């Protein structure tokens, strides 16, 4: 078995203050992740928010589990929708 290396990131202070009163709001993920994968990750990690990052690892916003769950039940949802395309994601 190959060991996995992980990196810990701290979200931008403007984003964390808005989302959770200055505390880190959740794991950082790329904004091209699908909604289904994000919901699965959130359930497994037991978190309510994900911090969205672009390809340059810059924070672009945040999204909550509640927002993704509501969006999944709309007619606009398909299994190809990316997190960056979810209406109501909080900008950084």
């Amino acid at each position: 078995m190959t060991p996995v290396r992980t990196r810990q990131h701290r979200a931008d202070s403007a984003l964390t203050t808005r989302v959770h009163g200055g505390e880190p709001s959740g794991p950082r993920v790329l904004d091209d992740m699908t909604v289904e994968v994000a919901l699965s990750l959130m359930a497994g990690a037991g978190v309510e928010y994900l911090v969205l990052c672009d390809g340059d690892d810059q924070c672009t916003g945040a999204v909550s589990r509640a927002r993704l769950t509501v969006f999944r039940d709309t007619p606009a949802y398909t299994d190809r929708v990316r997190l960056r395309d979810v209406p109501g994601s909080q900008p950084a």
Side-chain angles (χ1 to χ4, degrees), residues 4 21 56 60 71 87 89 91:
V4 176
D56 295 326
T60 59
F71 178 72
S89 297

Side-chain angles (χ1 to χ4, degrees), residues 5-28:
R5 293 184 185 196
T6 59
R7 295 186 317 177
Q8 288 284 26
H9 291 285
R10 195 159 156 73
D12 291 346
S13 60
L15 178 63
T16 53
T17 300
R18 186 176 3 207
V19 173
H20 245 310
E23 297 176 19
S25 59
R28 290 170 59 122

Side-chain angles (χ1 to χ4, degrees), residues 31-69:
D31 59 6
D32 66 346
M33 179 181 286
T34 64
V35 170
E36 285 301 317
V37 171
L39 285 168
S40 178
L41 181 138
M42 294 168 103
V47 297
E48 293 298 318
Y49 287 91
L50 294 176
V51 176
L52 306 179
C53 299
D54 61 16
D56 295 326
D57 203 28
Q58 299 297 313
C59 289
T60 59
V63 67
S64 70
R65 184 188 312 195
R67 178 71 198 125
L68 293 179
T69 302

